[in-house]
Structure formats: C-alpha cells, structure tokens
Amino acid sequence: FSGSEIRHRDDDIPLAHIAICTEGTGWADADTIPLMVASTIVGNWDRSMAGAGNVATKLGQYSQKYNLCHSYQAFNTCYTDTGLWGAYIVTDRFRVDDMMAALQDEWCRIATNATEIEVNRAKNLLKTNMLLMLDGSTPICEDIGRQLLCYGRRLPLHELDARINAVDAKTVQEAMKTYVYNRCPAIAAVGPTEALKDYNRTRSRMYTIIH
C-alpha cells in the first residue's frame, strides 16, 4: 500500500465520484473487528433515504443539514493479509472540498473522541448486518469458504458475537490511530474533480492539532 492519488477530470459527468482509503487489516488481524465497528460509526447516507435527516450517524446528519453530498458509503474491505478502510463519495462539483473536509473531520473525531454510546450502537448494527448477509444458502457457503481460507475454520456465531462485544470506545480509538489517523491515504476520483484539493492538502487533514 502506498499513499497516492489518481484523478480523471471529466466535466461531462454530472457528479464527482471519489474514493479515499487507508491501509486496513487482513481478516485474521485482531484490529479487524474494531475497524469494522469504526466503519459502521461512519455509516452510509443517501439523500433519497426515508428520514434522511434523522439518521444516527453524525456525518449523515451533517450531509443532510449542509447538503454536502448525494451519497456516501463507508467501506472496510479485508483480504488475507491486508485491507482497505475508507469511504466512497458521490457529490456535486461545488461541494467536493466541503464533503472531503467533513469526512476527514469525522475520521479524526472517531480516532480521538469516539463515545461509548455510538460504539454500542455500531456494534449492534454490525451484528445485525452480519446476520442479514447470511440469509440464504449461497451467502452462507461463501462465508464458510472465506473463513476457511482466512482462519482455517469457521467461526461460530457466539464467538463472533463475543469478539464484537469485547470492543469498546478505547479499542476503536486505538485501531483508528493505528490505521487511519495521520496515515497517508490513497485517493481515486473521476468526474468534475476541479474542486478536489491537492493531495498534500488532503493528507494534512488526516490529523488534528489538539491544544
């Protein structure tokens, strides 16, 4: 993994599509679950959602209140020995910088000041989403195969539940400080990207100066 940027400006595309991420963890890493919880705290938002202004995530609330984007989706993609942790944004050409700043501010907030309330909510939502993904024989077989490749066995649900329950706000903050806070991000952008700041400016937003 290397902090870098690639952008393709095309003003004929109506909206800017931007992905920004840092290096994450592999499936078997101890910090994988805390990073999953952190990604759930960031969450996702779309302006077409019912009750879009009443979502639990702070970034979703700001996105609706200040019209920052059309949608965003946090992601945590794990591979065998590494991963990608970040977010995908779809926004108007004039709101690119505002949305990027809001997203990175939220990352820094979680790394330095995540609360137990939002961590507990994210843990419950993560459990729900994981169970919903096992709805059917095909996803169950895929899950078994992935776990056999990554762990050499299938994790029983009660063990996975215990691992998630063991995460608290301090664990999330430590994982974020290890993998996200003040780390060089990789950025890919396409569309009307003129307002996307220089990479060095984006990199400087990956940390906050606390007095």
Side-chain angles (χ1 to χ4, degrees):
F1 183 92
S2 177
S4 54
E5 175 190 89
I6 182 171
R7 65 173 79 189
H8 175 70
R9 181 178 175 183
D10 185 348
D11 291 338
D12 292 330
I13 299 177
L15 298 173
H17 299 256
I18 304 167
I20 175 173
C21 69
T22 59
E23 185 175 17
T25 59
W27 279 111
D29 195 283
D31 286 325
T32 296
I33 297 296
L35 285 178
M36 285 182 177
V37 173
S39 184
T40 306
I41 293 175
V42 179
N44 64 87
W45 182 86
D46 190 296
R47 63 167 52 179
S48 64
M49 294 169 60
N54 299 308
V55 294
T57 60
K58 292 183 181 296
L59 185 58
Q61 295 171 8
Y62 294 152
S63 296
Q64 194 278 334
K65 182 177 181 180
Y66 300 108
N67 191 29
L68 294 178
C69 64
H70 284 242
S71 66
Y72 77 84
Q73 173 73 54
F75 61 82
N76 181 37
T77 305
C78 296
Y79 303 102
T80 303
D81 56 357
T82 187
L84 297 173
W85 192 97
Y88 170 66
I89 301 166
V90 180
T91 186
D92 183 83
R93 67 186 67 201
F94 301 114
R95 307 298 287 174
V96 169
D97 188 50
D98 293 332
M99 182 58 195
M100 289 289 288
L103 174 66
Q104 292 179 274
D105 285 347
E106 177 68 355
W107 287 358
C108 291
R109 185 194 67 80
I110 296 171
T112 57
N113 197 32
T115 65
E116 292 292 349
I117 293 176
E118 64 184 349
V119 168
N120 288 333
R121 182 196 65 81
K123 285 158 59 176
N124 292 331
L125 183 57
L126 178 61
K127 294 176 189 176
T128 302
N129 291 339
M130 283 185 161
L131 291 175
L132 286 174
M133 288 191 296
L134 300 179
D135 183 22
S137 58
T138 300
I140 289 176
C141 289
E142 291 176 350
D143 184 64
I144 293 173
R146 176 182 57 77
Q147 292 194 17
L148 286 174
L149 289 172
C150 297
Y151 306 117
R153 64 188 179 94
R154 191 184 186 198
L155 295 181
L157 290 178
H158 66 82
E159 181 180 341
L160 187 58
D161 183 69
R163 290 189 180 190
I164 296 174
N165 285 335
V167 175
D168 57 16
K170 183 179 179 181
T171 312
V172 171
Q173 290 180 34
E174 289 176 349
M176 288 290 287
K177 286 176 181 176
T178 301
Y179 293 96
V180 180
Y181 191 80
N182 200 21
R183 300 294 174 181
C184 294
I187 304 167
V190 64
T193 59
E194 180 183 9
L196 181 62
K197 297 296 186 183
D198 177 75
Y199 180 84
N200 291 323
R201 173 71 178 276
T202 304
R203 172 64 180 87
S204 69
R205 287 173 171 166
M206 294 298 290
Y207 62 92
T208 55
I209 299 175
I210 303 174
H211 298 283

